[in-house]
Amino acid sequence: MAQMVRVHNFNVSSDGYGAGEGQSLERPFGDADATALFSWSGATAHGPTRTEPGGSYGLDDYCTREWHRNVGAEIMGRNKFGPQRGPWENLEWEGWWGAEPPFRTPVFVLTHHVRPSITRGATTFHFLNASPKEALAQALDAADGKDVRIGGGVATVRAFLEADLIDQMHVAVAPVELGRGEQLWTSPDTLTDRFHLERIPSPSGVTHHFFWRK
Amino acid sequence: MAQMVRVHNFNVSSDGYGAGEGQSLERPFGDADATALFSWSGATAHGPTRTEPGGSYGLDDYCTREWHRNVGAEIMGRNKFGPQRGPWENLEWEGWWGAEPPFRTPVFVLTHHVRPSITRGATTFHFLNASPKEALAQALDAADGKDVRIGGGVATVRAFLEADLIDQMHVAVAPVELGRGEQLWTSPDTLTDRFHLERIPSPSGVTHHFFWRK
């Protein structure tokens, strides 16, 4: 099949916020309570933070697993990579994820302040000062025939939506309001001119939103 | 993770029938209208009969794709392999699936009438006169660390349930009544003593039932 550009397991509040304000080293999601957005995935058998057997194998686990399937590269914004802003003061920061980042593919970090690539475990981070379209061309090439995941945060997903570069998108909407911060949308219906939209409520409380191009 | 024994994309009517009566070469599902049971999957982007681009990427497609994921062997009953009964009159029959069966793994066919193995494309069919437990031991070994799918039909899934050998099960319940035939259950609630059960209605009309061991 053709290579796809996909968003998966992107989490927003019922009012469309994916993060609060004031990101810092201690608070990667700013002043928002990220737990309320992510707990559905953490409870699954394939949850990214699971260290022991157990967890659910229902709808939420299907969605959690999909994050990995047939992905050959990721593109993320600099604010997903780290809390720093502006020129790098030094190169000690190598991401939030330690020695074995979960991506296990090339990852392209969009930034106005490029730096040398970093390899940690099976993941290599490349830093690009590029438009969404230019970055995507590189990521599609690096993905070796597999799909490219747009990893976020909110500003990065919005930039790729605005450039009309996304084929499929899974967004889990949590039953909490944040009221302020980084907003993905005022309503998912703002995207239905271009995308099919299926809303599937999960017993966990989130509503999975599946978008695919019309 | 540990190897799992899984059922996926098993289709039954609202009254629990997976096939009608009177299976024949022309009617693999007997006198039941199988179209009504299977159409949800055929409409998806990854539907097994799809030959052109298109199709949905929502919940039904997630379920359809899962049939392949991390499966290293299948076990099926003889009635899934073909419509013949009793001793093989000859060995011309090699399954319904032509030169490229979709399994692409070893497949163990349970039968009282064994015959030599058959390789077609990436699939090899082995014929075993064995109990569910004995067959599963061989399939787990052949699966090379991956999971084993119990492929059906109804009698085979029931036998593995009765032997308590199934870890996860996905059954799509279609909004049609068949009234007679091969019955998987009188109600999915008959399994909730041993399994968690999540029921997720799909916009296509089927209700996906996800079971996993308690």
Side-chain angles (χ1 to χ4, degrees), chain A residues 48-65:
Chain A
T49 56
R50 177 166 299 284
T51 54
E52 295 179 2
S56 66
Y57 285 91
L59 171 63
D60 289 350
D61 197 50
Y62 274 61
C63 293
T64 297
R65 291 195 297 259

Side-chain angles (χ1 to χ4, degrees), chain A residues 81 88 91 93 113-119 124-127:
Chain A
F81 182 74
W88 301 98
L91 299 181
W93 179 261
H113 305 281
V114 298
R115 52 182 276 187
S117 299
I118 304 168
T119 296
T124 298
F125 297 96
H126 303 288
F127 299 83

Side-chain angles (χ1 to χ4, degrees), chain A residues 1 4 8 45-46 55-60 62-63 65-66 69 168 170 198-203 210-212, chain B residues 1 4 8 45-46 55-60 62-63 65-66 69 168 170 198 200-203 210-212:
Chain A
M1 297 181 82
M4 296 280 177
H8 279 289
H46 292 81
S56 66
Y57 285 91
L59 171 63
D60 289 350
Y62 274 61
C63 293
R65 291 195 297 259
E66 188 69 7
R69 187 190 59 83
Q168 296 166 40
H170 163 247
E198 228 181 67
R199 293 175 169 87
I200 309 286
S202 167
F210 303 115
F211 300 85
W212 64 99
Chain B
M1 299 181 81
M4 295 282 179
H8 278 289
H46 291 81
S56 66
Y57 285 90
L59 171 63
D60 290 349
Y62 274 61
C63 292
R65 291 194 297 259
E66 187 68 7
R69 187 190 59 84
Q168 295 167 42
H170 163 247
E198 230 181 65
I200 309 286
S202 167
F210 303 114
F211 299 85
W212 67 97

Side-chain angles (χ1 to χ4, degrees), chain A residues 4 7 15-16 25 46 48 55-56 60 65 71 75 86 98 117 122 158 164 166-167 174 187 198-199 206:
Chain A
M4 296 280 177
V7 171
D15 48 352
L25 185 60
H46 292 81
S56 66
D60 289 350
R65 291 195 297 259
V71 169
I75 298 173
S117 299
R158 286 184 62 118
D164 199 22
I166 289 178
D167 297 309
S187 159
E198 228 181 67
R199 293 175 169 87
V206 299

